[in-house]
């Protein structure tokens, strides 16, 4: 598993590893070279850090047996979710983003502990707005997406069916 741990004493708004003991499934490996089936990174919610997370995710995805279209869709939707964290989650500019991906049906989760998304915010892009396009794009390139948001933060869960299932049963 890829994992980044922030410096000691940095409040990430998350439980420590000791508090979460036993909550992370063990990584599975593919035949041949060892490839972790899970990816997890925690980074400051800043635009340049989100771009760095995207590069690390691409590196991990390229080690998996995914078709190029799946890799593109996963990368695009994940970066939109990360960009939303950097742009909207922390109005004061201080916070963290957690990116988790696992190779079980191609699932990706982006989490923050920011201010949340307004319940009244429409999930459609307005002609004269600077927002709303990211969630719409995520909906278009995922097989399933879910946004759970409140005062404790936001979690965006995105899932893609493996390419073989998409071809056998188009949505």
């Amino acid at each position: 598993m890829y994992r980044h741990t922030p410096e000691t004493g940095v409040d990430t708004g998350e439980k420590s590893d000791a508090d979460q003991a036993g909550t992370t499934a063990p990584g599975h490996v593919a035949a041949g070279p060892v490839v972790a089936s899970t990816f997890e990174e925690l980074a400051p919610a800043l635009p340049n850090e989100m771009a760095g997370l995207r590069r690390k995710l691409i590196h991990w995805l390229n080690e998996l047996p995914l078709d190029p279209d799946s890799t593109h869709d996963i990368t695009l939707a994940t970066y939109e979710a990360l960009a939303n964290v950097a742009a909207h989650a922390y109005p004061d500019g201080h916070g963290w983003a957690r990116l988790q991906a696992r190779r079980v049906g191609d699932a990706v989760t982006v989490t923050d502990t920011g201010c949340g998304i307004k319940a009244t915010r429409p999930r459609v892009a307005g002609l004269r707005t600077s927002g709303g396009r990211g969630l719409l794009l995520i909906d278009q390139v995922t097989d399933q997406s879910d946004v759970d948001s409140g005062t404790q933060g936001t979690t965006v869960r995105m899932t893609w069916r493996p390419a073989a299932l998409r071809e056998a049963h188009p949505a």
Side-chain angles (χ1 to χ4, degrees):
M1 171 173 29
Y2 285 82
R3 187 169 191 161
H4 173 266
T5 304
E7 297 174 27
T8 304
V10 173
D11 180 16
T12 64
E14 309 251 342
K15 294 180 181 178
S16 70
D17 287 344
D19 294 336
Q20 297 180 18
T23 61
T24 303
H28 296 91
V29 295
V34 176
V35 178
S37 67
T38 58
F39 172 96
E40 182 175 357
E41 285 273 339
L42 180 66
L46 301 169
N48 62 328
E49 295 286 341
M50 299 302 93
L53 281 182
R54 179 179 62 181
R55 284 189 298 275
K56 290 176 182 179
L57 177 68
I58 290 169
H59 178 75
W60 179 73
L61 290 170
N62 286 334
E63 294 178 9
L64 298 174
L66 294 174
D67 63 286
D69 289 338
S70 293
T71 298
H72 176 267
D73 288 351
I74 292 168
T75 302
L76 178 64
T78 301
Y79 190 65
E80 286 297 324
L82 290 169
N84 282 346
V85 173
H88 306 294
Y90 303 101
D92 66 357
H94 301 289
W96 292 84
R98 177 178 299 278
L99 171 59
Q100 297 169 302
R102 55 190 162 90
R103 177 69 171 118
V104 179
D106 304 332
V108 175
T109 302
V110 175
T111 304
D112 66 67
T113 55
C115 63
I117 299 171
K118 295 177 185 173
T120 59
R121 184 180 175 119
R123 258 178 110 158
V124 295
L127 293 175
R128 297 180 186 255
T129 67
S130 63
R133 291 175 193 86
L135 293 177
L136 183 63
L137 182 87
I138 289 169
D139 286 342
Q140 290 176 345
V141 301
T142 60
D143 288 314
Q144 180 178 354
S145 65
D146 175 56
V147 178
D148 182 17
S149 188
T151 57
Q152 300 299 310
T154 302
T155 298
V156 178
R157 289 176 199 85
M158 299 167 282
T159 306
W160 292 263
R161 292 181 301 178
L165 291 178
R166 284 188 209 150
E167 293 166 7
H169 307 284

